[in-house]
Amino acid sequence: HAAPIGCNIPLLEDIGVSVEARVDFDNCKHHHTKLGDNLCASPGKPLKVFKFDNWRGFGLDPCPSLMREQFFEAYSDSFDLNSIDFFICSHPVANCELYMPFNRPIIVYATTRLEFGRHDQNVDWRAPEIDRESPKRFREWVENLRAIARDPRNIIAA
């Protein structure tokens, strides 16, 4: 979802932060950097591991830890990610765990419920992804969030 970072681009750029984003949701076309770039994943800024298919990778289903490993493998030698100073992640905040293996500061910006993307059975379009493993995936996410919070370089915001 582009809005959490997109709405903060002016603030971030005013303090010297350069924003690079690859958003997998159609509202990305409404948010732009000072250079005029939108926040969409595209052929010029492709997503690895995930496809641009309007949130299909939303919950990192069926196995978030495997998706995290694949994500790190795909991007560990990426100039884009190796040249950044920190990650900002939000909606869904549970996907912040993707950035843990990169050993960079993480700003976790919770814009909605903590369980969103893991054990969110009350979200009708996520219902097909909810199964008996969902509570376990949620507990693992909470443990990862605790690990993120223990690192003094990281910030947890809501």
Side-chain angles (χ1 to χ4, degrees), residues 54-128:
N54 225 14
W55 286 21
R56 179 78 176 111
F58 192 85
L60 308 183
D61 298 309
C63 181
S65 61
L66 178 60
M67 291 298 286
R68 186 174 61 244
E69 289 172 25
Q70 292 173 343
F71 188 83
F72 180 72
E73 226 174 81
Y75 285 102
S76 62
D77 291 327
S78 167
F79 172 77
D80 289 345
L81 291 189
N82 286 320
S83 66
I84 67 152
D85 296 318
F86 60 91
F87 293 100
I88 299 176
C89 57
S90 57
H91 191 73
V93 73
N95 289 352
C96 295
E97 65 185 321
L98 282 171
Y99 305 108
M100 293 174 69
F102 291 93
N103 196 28
R104 299 277 195 309
I106 302 171
I107 299 174
V108 177
Y109 178 29
T111 59
T112 188
R113 298 172 314 281
L114 187 63
E115 75 278 6
F116 206 31
R118 289 301 176 276
H119 189 50
D120 44 6
Q121 70 274 11
N122 296 320
V123 179
D124 61 346
W125 56 268
R126 287 277 300 144

Side-chain angles (χ1 to χ4, degrees), residues 7-78:
C7 292
N8 287 296
I9 286 175
L11 171 71
L12 294 167
E13 289 183 335
D14 283 351
I15 61 170
V17 174
S18 176
V19 175
E20 175 66 32
R22 291 187 176 106
V23 177
D24 181 19
F25 188 59
D26 283 339
N27 72 349
C28 60
K29 62 189 170 203
H30 302 293
H31 301 279
H32 297 84
T33 67
K34 281 185 181 176
L35 299 175
D37 298 329
N38 67 37
L39 304 185
C40 300
S42 66
K45 295 191 313 185
L47 291 171
K48 299 177 186 177
V49 181
F50 306 113
K51 296 178 184 165
F52 187 97
D53 56 6
N54 225 14
W55 286 21
R56 179 78 176 111
F58 192 85
L60 308 183
D61 298 309
C63 181
S65 61
L66 178 60
M67 291 298 286
R68 186 174 61 244
E69 289 172 25
Q70 292 173 343
F71 188 83
F72 180 72
E73 226 174 81
Y75 285 102
S76 62
D77 291 327
S78 167

